[in-house]
């Protein structure tokens, strides 16, 4: 007589806890298991729990923006974060939706990317969730441009921006700075530039104008320039070479700008690079010299109204630009061969990762971003080849083909 195993019903709370720790890819597959699971994955509670589980485990996904040296086409490379894989390129991603396939990342928050056309006078903007592969094209701005008697608006430039989550209204917002160039309608002489600030709300799917702070922020950010609903930029006042460096911030909740000073530790702006970043839950600046290939780096973080030096990295040979901090304070950099390298401050080891950024004259377009997987819906559409093209690389492609072959064999075997 065959013994029957007793049936145990797993508590619903435990099932939810287990599911909330799985990758997005697995959850998407599990949508077809039952209607209850499918609807549960879309609730704000589960989405938040899943995101914060990833955040707690520090499950960061690196995404490198670089340029194809043969085709002169910019694209993104998704890097492996698996231990021992040395940040291998898993797949390359292009965005034909944008002119010349060339978007700028103007924010990566809570698993979402805000992509803006790299051309200063192009208005295309999109929000992208790389985990769920959802893509949303933002509507054109409805903000009216000011008119002046006898003047014609000749150019509209989008200088920089930021994308952040507003905890107060549970909304994702995108802010961008606009410069308007006017000329005399008769003689064509240029007039002083006019500034505007536009704010987009994902919840309302609409734009509105925000009073301009009358400062021109500089797009000198490292990976991320937003924290706890506030966005930060570097601004410079005064005349070269004695500019005074300040921090401009914008609070997404009250939609107000404010300005705070940076101490004189940064030196002269013309001789020093200053990148805004978020480091271990604090806003900071990474300071390093403009000239030279043996770079030293000072990291300062903001504690209330005071600046504190977190640490210094003395003289890393053969590097030109920082790309961003990884786990355990490791620093990604670009070396003089335009390869991505990883510096470990605890061992002073500089590891070449073998990822080349290709064209020398496109060095300034090499960027590195980090995101945590998220189920957040953006009310968009699924990725389409007219918008996004993905191509698996190397071992990832081999593994996919191997899995396909195994599936085909199973079907062949009946």
């Amino acid at each position: 007589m065959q013994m029957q195993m007793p049936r145990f019903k797993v508590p619903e709370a435990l099932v939810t806890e287990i599911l909330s720790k799985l990758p997005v890819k697995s959850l998407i597959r599990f949508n077809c298991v039952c209607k209850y699971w499918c609807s549960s994955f879309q609730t704000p509670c589960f989405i938040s729990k899943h995101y914060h589980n990833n955040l707690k485990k520090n499950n960061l996904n690196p995404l490198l923006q670089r340029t194809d040296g043969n085709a002169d086409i910019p694209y993104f490379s998704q890097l492996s974060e698996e231990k021992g894989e040395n940040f291998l390129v898993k797949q390359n991603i292009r965005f034909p939706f944008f002119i010349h396939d060339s978007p700028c990342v103007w924010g990566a928050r809570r698993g979402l990317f805000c992509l803006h056309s790299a051309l200063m006078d192009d208005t295309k903007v999109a929000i992208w969730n790389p985990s769920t592969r959802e893509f949303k094209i933002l509507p054109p701005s409805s903000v009216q441009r000011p008119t002046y008697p006898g003047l014609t608006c000749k150019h509209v430039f989008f200088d920089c921006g930021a994308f952040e989550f507003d905890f107060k209204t549970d909304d994702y917002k995108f802010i961008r700075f606009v410069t308007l160039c006017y000329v005399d309608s008769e003689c064509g002489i240029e007039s002083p530039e006019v500034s505007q600030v536009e704010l987009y709300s994902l919840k309302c799917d609409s734009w509105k104008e925000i009073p301009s702070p009358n400062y021109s922020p500089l797009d000198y950010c490292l990976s991320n320039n937003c924290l706890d609903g506030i966005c930060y930029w570097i601004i410079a006042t005064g005349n070269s070479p004695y500019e005074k460096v300040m921090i401009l911030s914008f609070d997404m909740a009250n939609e107000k700008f404010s300005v705070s000073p940076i101490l004189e530790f940064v030196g002269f702006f013309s001789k020093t690079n200053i990148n805004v970043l978020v480091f271990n839950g604090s806003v900071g600046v990474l300071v390093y010299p403009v000239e030279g290939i043996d770079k030293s780096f000072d990291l300062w973080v903001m504690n209330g109204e005071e600046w504190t030096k977190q640490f210094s990295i003395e003289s890393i040979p053969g590097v030109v630009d920082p790309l961003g901090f990884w786990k355990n304070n490791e620093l990604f950099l670009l070396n003089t061969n335009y390869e991505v390298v990883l510096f470990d401050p605890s061992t002073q080891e500089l590891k070449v990762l073998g990822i080349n950024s290709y064209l020398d004259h496109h060095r300034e377009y090499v960027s590195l971003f980090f995101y945590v997987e998220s189920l957040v819906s953006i009310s968009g559409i699924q990725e389409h080849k007219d918008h996004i093209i993905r191509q698996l690389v190397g071992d990832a492609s081999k593994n996919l083909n191997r899995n396909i072959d195994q599936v085909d064999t199973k079907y062949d075997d009946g």
Side-chain angles (χ1 to χ4, degrees):
M1 182 177 177
Q2 191 175 2
M3 226 174 140
Q4 215 172 21
M5 296 294 292
R7 293 185 178 181
F8 295 98
K9 186 175 181 181
V10 182
E12 186 179 307
L14 179 58
V15 173
T16 301
E17 184 65 31
I18 294 171
L19 292 172
S20 69
K21 295 180 179 180
L22 295 179
V24 168
K25 189 175 181 179
S26 299
L27 296 175
I28 291 174
R29 287 205 307 266
F30 292 164
N31 272 328
C32 60
V33 172
C34 65
K35 290 182 179 179
Y36 175 73
W37 278 15
C38 183
S39 58
S40 295
F41 298 160
Q42 299 170 22
T43 61
C45 182
F46 185 87
I47 291 172
S48 177
K49 189 176 186 65
H50 177 266
Y51 171 75
H52 284 96
N53 278 338
N54 278 320
L55 202 62
K56 186 177 180 180
K57 291 186 290 185
N58 207 18
N59 289 339
L60 299 177
N61 297 275
L63 193 68
L64 179 72
Q65 186 175 19
R66 52 181 176 162
T67 301
D68 185 335
N70 297 317
D72 197 10
I73 294 175
Y75 65 101
F76 292 82
S77 293
Q78 191 171 36
L79 308 183
S80 171
E81 73 286 355
E82 296 296 329
K83 189 175 181 180
E85 288 195 359
N86 206 28
F87 301 99
L88 292 174
V89 176
K90 293 197 296 187
Q91 64 177 328
N92 292 322
I93 306 169
R94 291 199 299 108
F95 291 87
F97 170 71
F98 295 94
I99 297 175
H100 306 309
D101 296 6
S102 180
C104 289
V105 176
W106 278 3
R109 297 295 288 146
R110 298 171 73 92
L112 304 180
F113 280 76
C114 185
L115 306 173
H116 198 290
S117 173
L119 298 181
M120 293 180 69
D121 57 350
D122 186 20
T123 61
K124 283 186 177 179
V125 193
I127 298 175
W128 174 49
N129 185 330
S131 304
T132 62
R133 302 195 173 193
E134 198 177 1
F135 189 78
K136 179 179 176 61
I137 302 168
L138 272 56
S141 173
S142 56
V143 174
Q144 298 296 311
R145 306 302 175 205
T147 57
Y148 303 98
L151 295 179
T152 301
C153 184
K154 187 176 182 181
H155 298 292
V156 180
F157 296 128
F158 302 99
D159 304 317
C160 68
F163 179 66
E164 176 61 319
F165 181 68
D166 180 357
F167 294 89
K168 186 177 179 181
T169 59
D170 191 32
D171 190 12
Y172 291 87
K173 296 179 179 179
F174 168 58
I175 183 173
R176 69 179 177 188
F177 295 83
V178 186
T179 298
L180 310 174
C181 299
Y182 289 86
V183 296
D184 188 288
S185 302
E186 293 184 0
C187 63
I189 297 176
E190 292 186 357
S191 295
E193 295 176 343
V194 177
S195 298
Q196 281 186 301
V197 179
E198 301 177 333
L199 186 67
Y200 169 82
S201 160
L202 180 61
K203 183 178 282 188
C204 301
D205 194 27
S206 62
W207 297 83
K208 68 178 180 180
E209 186 174 2
I210 297 294
S212 174
N214 295 319
Y215 290 105
S216 297
L218 303 171
D219 195 16
Y220 297 162
C221 305
L222 209 59
S223 300
N224 178 35
N225 64 321
C226 298
L227 179 68
D228 296 336
I230 302 177
C231 308
Y232 300 86
W233 300 270
I234 292 289
I235 56 174
T237 60
N239 298 319
S240 177
Y242 306 108
E243 298 102 328
K244 186 175 182 181
V245 180
M246 311 276 280
I247 291 282
L248 174 69
S249 60
F250 179 78
D251 191 322
M252 288 289 186
N254 62 30
E255 299 180 354
K256 300 288 185 185
F257 285 100
S258 60
V259 176
S260 55
I262 292 182
L263 298 180
E264 299 303 322
F265 60 77
V266 297
F268 291 130
F269 192 56
S270 59
K271 297 181 179 180
T272 309
N273 285 315
I274 308 167
N275 292 157
V276 178
L277 75 163
V278 173
F279 181 83
N280 290 344
S282 297
V283 176
V285 290
L286 189 65
V287 182
Y288 59 101
V290 173
E291 301 295 334
I293 57 173
D294 290 344
K295 300 285 189 184
S296 59
F297 299 89
D298 292 327
L299 177 66
W300 295 76
V301 295
M302 190 188 298
N303 295 314
E305 296 183 356
E306 296 184 355
W307 286 91
T308 305
K309 183 185 280 192
Q310 196 75 10
F311 58 76
S312 294
I313 300 175
E314 299 295 335
S315 190
I316 305 178
V319 297
V320 287
D321 287 315
L323 295 175
F325 282 96
W326 184 239
K327 304 170 185 178
N328 302 319
N329 300 340
E330 294 172 302
L331 179 61
F332 285 101
L333 300 135
L334 203 61
N335 68 13
T336 50
N337 294 324
Y338 302 100
E339 296 170 311
V340 179
V341 298
L342 186 64
F343 178 76
D344 186 339
S346 63
T347 63
Q348 299 292 301
E349 180 187 3
L350 189 65
K351 183 189 294 184
V352 179
L353 302 181
I355 306 171
N356 201 295
S357 61
Y358 298 108
L359 291 183
D360 294 2
H361 59 278
H362 284 302
R363 190 187 82 193
E364 63 270 26
Y365 299 124
V366 179
S367 302
L368 186 62
F369 306 94
F370 307 98
Y371 70 95
V372 173
E373 281 197 347
S374 169
L375 288 163
V376 172
S377 174
I378 51 178
S379 302
I381 59 174
Q382 283 299 297
E383 290 180 6
H384 186 274
K385 64 180 181 180
D386 291 340
H387 304 142
I388 297 175
I389 297 174
R390 293 176 181 251
Q391 182 180 16
L392 292 174
V393 176
D395 291 338
S397 180
K398 292 176 185 176
N399 290 337
L400 177 66
N401 291 332
R402 189 180 302 119
N403 292 336
I404 292 172
D405 290 341
Q406 289 172 356
V407 171
D408 289 341
T409 303
K410 289 179 183 178
Y411 281 115
D412 291 342
D413 291 344

